[in-house]
Amino acid sequence: MAFTFFFRDAQTLNLAIDHFLPFVQSRRSITIWSAGCAMGQEPYTFAILLRERMGPYLFRNVKIFATDIDTYNQYVQIIGTGRYPEKDLQRIPPEIFQAYFRTDPQDPGYVYIADEIRNAVEFKKHDLLTFEPIRTGIHMIICKNVLLHFSAEERLQVWKMFWNALEYGGFMLHEHTQKLPEELSGLFDQIVMNAQIFRKK
């Protein structure tokens, strides 16, 4: 899915971070999976929000794996360079824009994300419908704007795969319209009532 934008649903992302930070604050390695990342706006937004809350020292421990099936074979270049049209960043708070973005000197219509943020995000091609995780021991999975395109059975298999990929006590964040089915209630706890934020039992 290519439709998203920087700082989309930032309130829910910050709510997830409220619960996530106590879980990871003493870890030397913090692993996050942004599944169905499209052009990278969501994992980069999450990285910026984490950096704001963690500070530079703890943020160095963060690695966000951003994955998408990438049928157009262009996401890796966009995410890898962290270069976006400035017109696509108009929803970003001005103070965040000034701190984490710089104008491309060769093309003033484009901006680059700060190296500190870009280096925290690594893109991988991945098809969720293989039902195989990119790795295990993950501390948080973000998967928004993707599962609505899958059948009910496919969603069930993806959620089970996410459960297997997460470390015990790890978090999973979804679009607010993607309710977890009753048959998975033994695998996850919903930690807040006003957002689809879950924790692995």
Side-chain angles (χ1 to χ4, degrees):
M1 277 298 296
F3 175 73
T4 189
F5 49 85
F6 280 93
F7 279 70
R8 179 176 182 264
D9 202 15
Q11 183 176 0
T12 299
L13 296 178
N14 268 316
L15 182 60
I17 291 172
D18 289 342
H19 296 272
F20 181 61
L21 285 182
F23 177 59
V24 297
Q25 63 183 357
S26 62
R27 298 178 186 270
R28 293 184 178 180
S29 177
I30 300 167
T31 305
I32 299 161
W33 179 11
S34 176
C37 67
M39 300 294 183
Q41 296 94 332
E42 189 163 81
Y44 277 137
T45 295
F46 199 70
I48 291 170
L49 292 174
L50 279 176
R51 169 60 176 79
E52 284 289 291
R53 301 280 292 276
M54 287 178 155
Y57 182 75
L58 185 57
F59 183 72
R60 290 184 298 182
N61 299 333
V62 171
K63 175 59 71 174
I64 300 176
F65 294 100
T67 70
D68 205 286
I69 194 170
D70 190 11
T71 54
Y72 299 104
N73 201 35
Q74 61 182 341
Y75 294 0
V76 64
Q77 180 179 358
I78 293 172
I79 295 174
T81 60
R83 181 177 182 269
Y84 294 90
E86 188 169 2
K87 63 181 177 59
D88 292 350
L89 281 71
Q90 295 176 356
R91 294 180 174 91
I92 296 177
E95 65 277 10
I96 296 292
F97 185 87
Q98 293 174 11
Y100 295 103
F101 295 86
R102 60 180 177 83
T103 301
D104 182 349
Q106 305 301 320
D107 188 347
Y110 285 80
V111 296
Y112 283 103
I113 293 175
D115 289 346
E116 180 187 20
I117 302 300
R118 182 177 55 80
N119 292 336
V121 177
E122 179 179 333
F123 177 79
K124 294 178 177 289
K125 286 189 179 183
H126 181 264
D127 183 356
L128 287 172
L129 294 181
T130 63
F131 308 123
E132 294 290 337
I134 59 167
R135 59 186 295 159
T136 57
I138 295 170
H139 301 114
M140 175 175 276
I141 295 173
I142 306 168
C143 185
K144 302 178 70 182
N145 215 30
V146 177
L147 295 182
L148 72 164
H149 298 281
F150 296 169
S151 69
E153 179 58 31
E154 289 169 341
R155 286 195 294 271
L156 192 64
Q157 294 304 314
V158 170
W159 275 317
K160 289 179 178 178
M161 179 262 288
F162 285 163
W163 186 89
N164 285 322
L166 283 168
E167 183 173 300
Y168 284 107
F171 292 82
M172 182 175 70
L173 173 60
H174 286 309
E175 192 78 18
H176 71 279
T177 57
Q178 295 301 306
K179 312 297 184 185
L180 208 64
E182 183 63 31
E183 54 260 54
L184 296 182
S185 60
L187 300 183
F188 296 98
D189 286 321
Q190 186 170 357
I191 62 173
V192 294
M193 297 306 298
N194 59 337
Q196 298 300 306
I197 305 172
F198 302 90
R199 194 166 193 179
K200 178 175 178 174
K201 289 186 177 180

